[in-house]
Amino acid sequence: MTADDTAPAPRAKVTITEIARQAGVSVPTVSRVVNGRSDVSPRTRARVEDLLRLHGYRKRRSAASAASPARAALLDLVFNDLDSPWAVEIIRGVEEVAHAAGVGTVVSAIHGRSGDAREWMRNLRSRASDGVILVTSALEPTLHEQLRILGVPIVVVDPMGSPSVDTPTIGAANWSGGLAATEHLLALGHRRIGLIAGPPRLLCSRARYDGYRAALEAAGLTVDESLVVPGDFHPESGFTGCTALLDLPEPPTALFAASDQMALGAIEALRRRGLRVPEDMSVVGFDDLPEVRWSAPPLTTVRQPLADMGKLAARTVLSLARGEHPDSPRVELGTELVVRSSTTAPRTAH
């Protein structure tokens, strides 16, 4: 028997992915420990370092990588669409937190198309993102599974449906916002209150409608379905929806639009009919986008803390990337009614 016969078999090389799986953390977290980054909790760092020593892991280095700095930290922020000021407010909040943490932000739109989502996934793998924030976006189950395998943490803002129990979500108090908007109009004396609703596939839309209905029922009124018209959160659907309500034999005296953009479209429809806001119809929106305080008239609306939602989503996903866990997987930030000049008592109540 030779010395070679008694030598131990070479140990199979362990990958960062396997270290992450055993440590119960994301691949980017292990990468941070390997690269000596400081943004990892002490307990997580110790657990990862123990596994690295146990498996004899050695960081692979090339001449090029030895001369270059470590990969920059990145967050992926994914929208279904980017054609709304609403998205800008979310981006502003995420970017503020990411910039303070020295983390870059990659913004993408998948437009609800599976091909775009798969292309985004391919790009994500190549840039090794530290975390993903999904905003009212629906990914195919297979893509969610790929993110899980990669160990990339996910946070969902305004989920379209019910996300998995282990996916943190950030939202707003949409039900109470819809309730407050409708109660405000009821308190002014309105009884025929129209609603331009949001897309029914979105939880936030259904919650705003439920708040509208609850306020009417609490006032002893039933929902007149002829006063509820569909919308998609964009101005055009607000214009179309308001036009349909004005064509009713008995139009409403007040209108709750489930987004500011739809409220602005509704105001334009009223203007083209020669009607005035609020004298001929009161209008309430939802979001409190920066421009609505300068609309004519300034819009009464429900303030949704969009930038704060973006900030909290960024803090949460960065915390997950450090191997920490949020105190609560479901967070709803409060909404607030902001009364301006677009609402008043109906003429019949004067």
Side-chain angles (χ1 to χ4, degrees):
M1 183 178 291
T2 66
D4 288 342
D5 293 327
T6 60
R11 178 184 293 176
K13 291 183 178 179
V14 70
T15 64
I16 280 185
T17 301
E18 177 59 21
I19 294 290
R21 186 190 68 78
Q22 293 184 24
V25 299
S26 68
V27 171
T29 296
V30 177
S31 179
R32 287 188 181 89
V33 174
V34 170
N35 287 303
R37 294 249 303 266
S38 60
D39 51 345
V40 180
S41 67
R43 181 179 298 179
T44 299
R45 180 183 299 278
R47 185 163 70 249
V48 171
E49 288 178 340
D50 286 345
L51 286 167
L52 292 171
R53 283 191 294 269
L54 175 66
H55 291 287
Y57 179 85
R58 293 291 182 270
K59 179 181 177 183
R60 294 189 295 272
R61 293 176 65 87
S62 64
S65 65
S68 63
R71 174 183 61 83
L74 291 173
L75 288 183
D76 266 72
L77 177 57
V78 185
F79 292 84
N80 194 44
D81 291 296
L82 284 169
D83 54 354
S84 168
W86 181 90
V88 174
E89 292 299 297
I90 296 285
I91 294 170
R92 186 166 62 84
V94 170
E95 177 60 25
E96 181 176 325
V97 171
H99 179 76
V103 176
T105 306
V106 179
V107 180
S108 306
I110 59 176
H111 306 291
R113 296 190 289 261
S114 59
D116 289 349
R118 287 192 290 270
E119 177 65 23
W120 165 75
M121 189 71 197
R122 285 191 289 270
N123 293 334
L124 177 77
R125 289 195 199 94
S126 67
R127 59 178 168 261
S129 181
D130 291 271
V132 173
I133 299 171
L134 296 173
V135 185
T136 59
S137 300
L139 290 183
E140 299 171 0
T142 54
L143 296 181
H144 264 294
E145 178 63 14
Q146 289 178 45
L147 286 171
R148 188 192 66 78
I149 293 171
L150 288 173
V152 178
I154 309 171
V155 172
V156 178
V157 176
D158 260 353
M160 293 184 71
S162 299
S164 62
V165 293
D166 59 348
T167 301
T169 64
I170 311 295
N174 291 290
W175 183 87
S176 62
L179 181 80
T182 312
E183 286 182 336
H184 169 66
L185 294 170
L186 289 165
L188 290 172
H190 295 278
R191 290 300 177 264
R192 286 185 62 77
I193 301 172
L195 170 67
I196 304 178
R201 70 183 185 279
L202 298 181
L203 288 176
C204 62
S205 298
R206 300 199 295 272
R208 291 171 200 177
Y209 169 77
D210 288 343
Y212 161 83
R213 181 181 61 191
L216 292 176
E217 291 175 350
L221 304 173
T222 58
V223 175
D224 182 347
E225 292 299 337
S226 70
L227 297 181
V228 179
V229 294
D232 61 9
F233 289 159
H234 296 297
E236 295 80 6
S237 67
F239 182 94
T240 302
C242 184
T243 299
L245 292 172
L246 290 173
D247 287 338
L248 292 173
E250 187 182 354
T253 62
L255 174 64
F256 168 37
S259 79
D260 284 349
Q261 291 278 286
M262 293 196 301
L264 294 177
I267 290 173
E268 177 60 16
L270 289 162
R271 186 190 68 80
R272 293 194 189 184
R273 290 288 184 96
L275 300 174
R276 298 170 299 164
V277 177
E279 291 84 357
D280 296 305
M281 184 180 290
S282 289
V283 178
V284 179
F286 199 109
D287 286 332
D288 196 27
L289 298 175
E291 61 263 37
V292 301
R293 70 194 65 180
W294 306 109
S295 62
L299 184 67
T300 295
T301 187
V302 176
R303 176 175 294 153
Q304 184 176 199
L306 296 169
D308 288 341
M309 290 161 64
K311 291 176 187 177
L312 182 57
R315 293 190 192 104
T316 301
V317 80
L318 289 173
S319 175
L320 290 169
R322 291 193 296 268
E324 301 166 357
H325 297 283
D327 294 333
S328 173
R330 305 283 182 267
V331 177
E332 278 194 355
L333 300 184
T335 52
E336 176 189 1
L337 180 70
V338 180
V339 178
R340 298 194 178 101
S341 305
S342 66
T343 51
T344 192
R347 284 182 171 179
T348 55
H350 288 167

